[in-house]
Amino acid sequence: MKEMLVICVLLCLINCRYNNKKLNGVILVIMTMIMSCNNKATDEMNLYYGYMELKNGIGVDITNFLYVNVLMGLANKLGMSFGVFNFATFLPAFLLLDKGLRKIINNPSLVYLLFCMTSIFLDTTLARQFISSVFIIYALHYLLGEEKNVKKYVIFIVIAMLFHFSTIVFLAYLLIELNISRRQMGIAVVGMSTAFLGVTLLNHKQIVGISQILSLIGSNKLNYGVSGGVQNGWMYTVVVWFLMFVTAFAIKNYSVNVMKDEDIVIVDRLMLMIGISLMFTSFSMMTLVYSRLLRPVSFIVFILITKWREYRKSFFKVNLIVLLLSITFLAGYYYVFNIAIFDYNATIRAVSDGIPFWDQDYSKLPWPSSYD
């Protein structure tokens, strides 16, 4: 699969220049194959065993009616192997993602390039959340541009929730539809972030952030509530959000004088969405698992970088600043999610040891804990 990833990256680079629809289709299929064949990761194997339990008439310990009972149940009745089921669910997701991106940017190839270079392996291990993220990205255009429709945005967020309930937090983006000042919006975001933090305090004797701060003054260090035992893990998500916001702010401010009016509005609203996403970092203080909420937000930054690229020839002097900030964000995002928080080496092994999605013999795959 690593070879396929290299090919996909090269094709994305080529299509950034030519924006060929047929080549774009090839890229979508390759990304689907990569995600369908990374079937060695723990979460993916959990879904596989759930799929087999459903096939054998055993109760499934996965609480998601649409993905498990409906889609998996239908695939079982059609006689699909689990790998084919993956392909059959990921491909429509990528097609929807492509359609949604094209409503905001002219050529999504750079978005796919950045996705392949940062988090495609990670997203393959969390199928339900990736699919829910696709619905979020598609829904964005209902808060932007000519097709603005708040009701449709809410409908697509509800659909996303059917795959992963955590996406309910993206209803917070409706703040940009309120007739309030930027200052009032900032107060609302900080207020909700504080409220989420308060919920965390009420539900835990210790909070990850506080326990780590106490460790600096001599108290015992606590790994409690942190996915993978990452020390000071919540700080990573704050750093990633900060890099996202600074990059978005730079693109918005340095592009405002050269973009078309409709694109200026789009860039401004996307930047506000990233600002609102600050409240998502509060959840990571309860458990680092909630850092996943920032992954759909990363696509917003990818879109902004692509939007900036469409106008890059118009302002040479500031290109370097935006470029450096974009590279810093990409490096930080890659490091935090692939190395600091999640086990990137295990993900790579999952790709290397994975079997083709059309191969039905999953007995070839040992349980991931054998690498521990």
Side-chain angles (χ1 to χ4, degrees), residues 171-209:
L171 290 173
Y173 285 172
L174 293 175
L175 277 173
I176 66 175
E177 292 299 314
L178 300 180
N179 187 23
I180 58 177
S181 67
R182 301 296 173 91
R183 180 180 178 182
Q184 290 173 319
M185 186 178 297
I187 293 174
V189 171
V190 173
M192 284 189 283
S193 299
T194 304
F196 294 150
L197 181 58
V199 171
T200 302
L201 286 168
L202 290 173
N203 284 279
H204 290 265
K205 294 180 181 180
Q206 297 281 352
I207 185 173
V208 176

Side-chain angles (χ1 to χ4, degrees), residues 23 65 90 128 137 146 148 168 217 244 298 310 312 322 329 342-343 355:
L23 185 54
F65 178 79
F90 281 135
R128 290 190 300 117
I137 302 305
E146 299 177 353
K148 187 185 297 184
I168 189 175
I217 58 175
M244 287 178 170
S298 69
E310 292 176 359
R312 72 193 187 285
V322 176
F329 154 69
F342 298 99
D343 190 346
I355 60 176

Side-chain angles (χ1 to χ4, degrees), residues 124-314:
T124 61
T125 68
L126 302 165
R128 290 190 300 117
Q129 189 177 35
F130 172 75
I131 295 173
S132 67
S133 298
V134 167
F135 281 100
I136 294 170
I137 302 305
Y138 182 82
L140 290 180
H141 79 275
Y142 289 123
L143 297 181
L144 309 167
E146 299 177 353
E147 294 188 50
K148 187 185 297 184
N149 190 316
V150 173
K151 290 183 179 179
K152 289 185 177 180
Y153 177 80
V154 173
I155 289 172
F156 274 92
I157 295 301
V158 171
I159 295 174
M161 288 166 57
L162 295 176
F163 288 93
H164 207 289
F165 190 76
S166 66
T167 52
I168 189 175
V169 300
F170 288 89
L171 290 173
Y173 285 172
L174 293 175
L175 277 173
I176 66 175
E177 292 299 314
L178 300 180
N179 187 23
I180 58 177
S181 67
R182 301 296 173 91
R183 180 180 178 182
Q184 290 173 319
M185 186 178 297
I187 293 174
V189 171
V190 173
M192 284 189 283
S193 299
T194 304
F196 294 150
L197 181 58
V199 171
T200 302
L201 286 168
L202 290 173
N203 284 279
H204 290 265
K205 294 180 181 180
Q206 297 281 352
I207 185 173
V208 176
I210 291 177
S211 68
Q212 299 303 323
I213 292 174
L214 290 175
S215 71
L216 300 177
I217 58 175
S219 301
N220 293 329
K221 289 189 176 183
L222 300 173
N223 287 332
Y224 152 160
V226 186
S227 176
V230 181
Q231 295 289 343
N232 300 312
W234 63 275
M235 295 182 182
Y236 287 118
T237 58
V238 175
V239 170
V240 169
W241 173 83
F242 178 76
L243 292 175
M244 287 178 170
F245 186 77
V246 170
T247 303
F249 185 80
I251 292 174
K252 187 258 181 181
N253 282 276
Y254 289 125
S255 306
V256 71
N257 295 321
V258 295
M259 286 189 177
K260 297 177 182 178
D261 290 342
E262 57 267 28
D263 285 333
I264 292 175
V265 173
I266 289 175
V267 169
D268 183 57
R269 284 185 157 240
L270 290 175
M271 187 199 72
L272 288 176
M273 290 177 184
I274 294 174
I276 292 171
S277 302
L278 169 65
M279 67 180 69
F280 302 163
T281 63
S282 301
F283 292 106
S284 66
M285 293 185 177
M286 179 165 51
T287 171
L288 206 56
V289 169
Y290 289 116
S291 63
R292 300 173 180 178
L293 293 173
L294 287 182
R295 283 161 55 210
V297 186
S298 69
F299 272 95
I300 298 179
V301 187
F302 297 162
I303 291 170
L304 282 171
I305 293 173
T306 302
K307 184 67 71 174
W308 160 72
R309 179 183 175 274
E310 292 176 359
Y311 290 88
R312 72 193 187 285
K313 295 180 181 179
S314 302

Side-chain angles (χ1 to χ4, degrees), residues 321-334:
I321 296 175
V322 176
L323 180 62
L324 289 175
L325 285 172
S326 298
I327 292 174
T328 302
F329 154 69
L330 292 170
Y333 177 72
Y334 175 87

